[in-house]
Structures are given as structure tokens and as C-alpha cells.
Amino acid sequence: MASTDQGDAAARAKSSVQNKDEKTQKKNEKQKRQQIEHLQMVLDDLVSVNSLFTFAMFVGISIAGANPQTLQPRKECQASHQTKMVLLFDEVVSFVCFLLSSLVATALKMNLSTYLMSDPNNRKRSARDVNDGVRNLMIMLSMTGSILGCVYLTMSMANVVRVLLGNVTCGESDTLLATGTLIAVNVLALLIYVPSMMRAVHLSHAKLELN
């Protein structure tokens, strides 16, 4: 009888430990899912910002391709053909940077979605398909592409002002005001956007451990 009671007590203790382990596992699973979804949301925001900047870039390409007439009457102050070539170059590089950033961010989102949809028993193998080093590289590529795209977009917009209003070296008030405002606002926006984006992505990814 005593042996039976001891066996029942051991079984109940074992069952209690198993239930506790299952609750802990479910809690960890829920927390990990929330972390992954938060990182996916941050990547969505990054892609959305890239799309907005890409629209602005196409505006610059349309201006460069239409061969617009300058508003500057003085011949020596009009932008040269080289300036228009540089404008087009900056727009193309900006587009490539935004495209790289968006594609890499989307690829990382797809990897995280695949991880969430996979069988919990096979997640170790799924996590090894793209390890932490590759994920870090993808995040760095995505952020760097977005930042460089913003820089080249700002340079191209400055050249748009030169094409339409004339060279800055001529000292025209309208050209100086437009160029100065453009550069000042974009630099301020980058100083706010870049640290905020890097902090959001870093914190979201730093807490994420796929295993």
C-alpha cells in the first residue's frame, strides 16, 4: 500500500513538472512570436519609407528626362549638361539603394514568416537556414541601402534646383534659399530618421533568438 502511494505521488510530481514545462514552453513561444511580429512590423515601416522616397526619386527622373527649360535667364548661370547627367546618376543610384534595402528587408520578413509557420519540432533546422550572422548582415544591408538612398536623393534634388533655378555659384537668392532649405530639412530629417530606425531594428533583432 505504501509502495502504491509512493508511486502515485511520484506520478503526480512528474505530471506537475511536465505541466509546468509545457506552460513555460507556451509562454516562451508566445513571447518569441511577439518579438518576431514586432521585427516584421519594423521592417514593414522601413519598406514603406523606401517606397515613399522612391516616388520622390521618380519625380526627379521625370524632370531630368523631360529636358526642362531653366527659369534662369542668364546664360552663364544655367546648369550645364554635366549637371543633368549627375542628376540622372544620383537618381539611379538612389533607386538602386532603395530597391536593395526593400528587397533585403522583404527577404528577411519572408524568412521570419517561414520560421513562424514551421513545425516547432523542426524550427532548429529552419533557424539554421539563415543564421544570426546572415540576419545581421541582411539588416545592415537594408539599413545602409535606405540611408545611402536618402543621401543620393538629397543630392539629386539639389541638382534639380540647379537645373530649374540656375547654379548656386551665381548667388541668386531664390537658388540659395531653395538649396539651403532643401539641404537643411533633409539633414535634419536624416538625423532624426537614421538613429530612430537603427535603434528600432537593433532592439527588435537583439531580443530575438531563433532556436
Side-chain angles (χ1 to χ4, degrees):
M1 186 70 177
S3 177
T4 303
D5 292 340
Q6 289 177 355
D8 291 341
R12 286 195 297 269
K14 184 177 180 180
S15 176
S16 176
V17 171
Q18 289 178 345
N19 291 335
K20 185 176 181 181
D21 290 342
E22 288 179 359
K23 290 181 180 179
T24 302
Q25 186 176 2
K26 288 181 180 179
K27 182 179 179 181
N28 292 337
E29 182 71 20
K30 182 179 179 181
Q31 184 178 9
K32 185 179 297 183
R33 179 177 290 272
Q34 290 176 343
Q35 291 172 348
I36 291 176
E37 289 175 349
H38 184 267
L39 178 56
Q40 288 179 321
M41 184 174 63
V42 172
L43 293 174
D44 273 334
D45 291 339
L46 178 61
V47 173
S48 299
V49 171
N50 289 343
S51 301
L52 177 64
F53 288 152
T54 302
F55 174 76
M57 178 270 307
F58 276 114
V59 172
I61 288 183
S62 64
I63 292 176
N67 195 20
Q69 296 296 323
T70 180
L71 301 178
Q72 174 58 251
R74 296 162 57 188
K75 192 72 174 178
E76 66 276 10
C77 292
Q78 294 179 3
S80 64
H81 179 72
Q82 182 65 27
T83 301
K84 296 179 182 179
M85 295 293 292
V86 172
L87 165 61
L88 189 58
F89 172 81
D90 290 340
E91 295 287 352
V92 171
V93 174
S94 176
F95 172 73
V96 170
C97 290
F98 287 133
L99 181 62
L100 172 66
S101 176
S102 297
L103 289 179
V104 173
T106 302
L108 182 56
K109 276 186 55 186
M110 292 171 61
N111 173 257
L112 295 174
S113 298
T114 302
Y115 178 86
L116 286 177
M117 296 298 294
S118 62
D119 185 358
N121 297 324
N122 297 326
R123 281 187 174 175
K124 288 186 178 180
R125 183 178 63 184
S126 177
R128 285 196 299 267
D129 291 342
V130 181
N131 57 36
D132 287 340
V134 176
R135 282 194 198 90
N136 289 332
L137 178 61
M138 293 174 72
I139 288 176
M140 287 301 299
L141 277 175
S142 185
M143 291 192 299
T144 302
S146 183
I147 294 170
L148 288 178
C150 292
V151 172
Y152 277 100
L153 181 61
T154 302
M155 293 168 58
S156 68
M157 290 296 102
N159 283 324
V160 168
V161 174
R162 291 176 62 189
V163 170
L164 294 178
L165 299 180
N167 291 321
V168 179
T169 53
C170 288
E172 293 287 342
S173 59
D174 292 338
T175 306
L176 292 175
L177 180 61
T179 305
T181 303
L182 173 69
I183 294 176
V185 171
N186 277 274
V187 169
L188 177 61
L190 284 175
L191 289 176
I192 297 173
Y193 167 69
V194 173
S196 301
M197 176 192 63
M198 294 181 67
R199 183 174 184 275
V201 175
H202 173 72
L203 291 180
S204 299
H205 185 259
K207 296 179 180 180
L208 185 63
E209 293 183 1
L210 302 184
N211 48 49

